[in-house]
Amino acid sequence: MTRLVPTGTGAAVLTAVLLGALTGCGSDGPDALEKELGRKCQGRVAADSVDVRLAEGVTAEVVSSWHPDGQGQCWVNARGRSSFFEPFALEVTAATDAAGAEKARRELCSTIRADADAYLLYAGSRDHCSAYSLKTGEYVAHGAVGRYNASIHILGVRPVDGVDAPQKKAREEFERVMGDLREHYQR
């Protein structure tokens, strides 16, 4: 998956994401973009699991590519006035077996936990870990479900001491997406 990292226009991109989140507050149910995300992720992400509402004037589309063996990816491509960005991305890869997927998850999580210069606010749970990446300006999570590894990216503002709303929101969305993945792959 190609990762587009905003440079120079990061403030504008994050403003667009934040304004979109604020305009979505209080609305009932998923909007059209979130429904499209649920459809194009083919059941791996429920329409109401991730808030991808964007500011007015920002255009977006959901792109996906899935293989019969369960591997693939889906993400939201968005365009503001002067830049492209991805407010959400999911990539699923298959390991040989569940033990291999869990080993890969543990190794990725250990790498993130150990690299305090590149990641902030590491948190681990039973099947995934998450942190804020200083390199890419997004919240990242790595998880394992059965023989599948999942990598989830959610664009968000850099955490600030005393303000936990952005990280809390990202962690809640990671938890919901991991639940969606467990439901999809453990059928």
Side-chain angles (χ1 to χ4, degrees), residues 24-46:
C25 289
S27 64
D28 295 330
D31 68 4
L33 183 62
E34 291 164 335
K35 289 177 183 175
E36 183 183 5
L37 180 66
R39 186 176 54 77
K40 288 207 172 172
C41 288
Q42 298 180 358
R44 292 167 182 87
V45 178

Side-chain angles (χ1 to χ4, degrees), residues 9-95:
T9 58
V13 169
L14 291 177
T15 300
V17 172
L18 287 175
L19 287 174
L22 289 174
T23 58
C25 289
S27 64
D28 295 330
D31 68 4
L33 183 62
E34 291 164 335
K35 289 177 183 175
E36 183 183 5
L37 180 66
R39 186 176 54 77
K40 288 207 172 172
C41 288
Q42 298 180 358
R44 292 167 182 87
V45 178
D48 59 353
S49 290
V50 180
D51 179 4
V52 289
R53 291 178 179 95
L54 301 169
E56 197 170 313
V58 174
T59 59
E61 68 174 336
V62 178
V63 181
S64 67
S65 172
W66 294 102
H67 303 282
D69 65 358
Q71 298 185 85
Q73 54 197 3
C74 59
W75 68 95
V76 176
N77 268 343
R79 179 176 173 86
R81 290 183 191 202
S82 61
S83 65
F84 288 97
F85 59 100
E86 293 176 359
F88 173 82
L90 167 68
E91 182 174 21
V92 176
T93 58

Side-chain angles (χ1 to χ4, degrees), residues 95 97-104 106 146-147:
D97 56 21
E102 179 59 23
K103 180 180 178 194
R106 280 193 314 269
R147 71 180 196 100

Side-chain angles (χ1 to χ4, degrees), residues 67-154:
H67 303 282
D69 65 358
Q71 298 185 85
Q73 54 197 3
C74 59
W75 68 95
V76 176
N77 268 343
R79 179 176 173 86
R81 290 183 191 202
S82 61
S83 65
F84 288 97
F85 59 100
E86 293 176 359
F88 173 82
L90 167 68
E91 182 174 21
V92 176
T93 58
T96 312
D97 56 21
E102 179 59 23
K103 180 180 178 194
R105 181 199 68 81
R106 280 193 314 269
E107 288 172 358
L108 280 169
C109 291
S110 292
T111 300
I112 289 172
R113 185 176 47 244
D115 193 353
D117 292 333
Y119 296 96
L120 298 175
L121 303 168
Y122 174 86
S125 71
R126 67 185 169 115
D127 62 357
H128 70 280
C129 66
S130 64
Y132 181 80
S133 171
L134 293 170
K135 294 177 183 177
T136 61
E138 61 190 5
Y139 291 89
V140 296
H142 298 286
V145 176
R147 71 180 196 100
Y148 295 96
N149 286 106
S151 178
I152 308 165
H153 301 261
I154 298 174

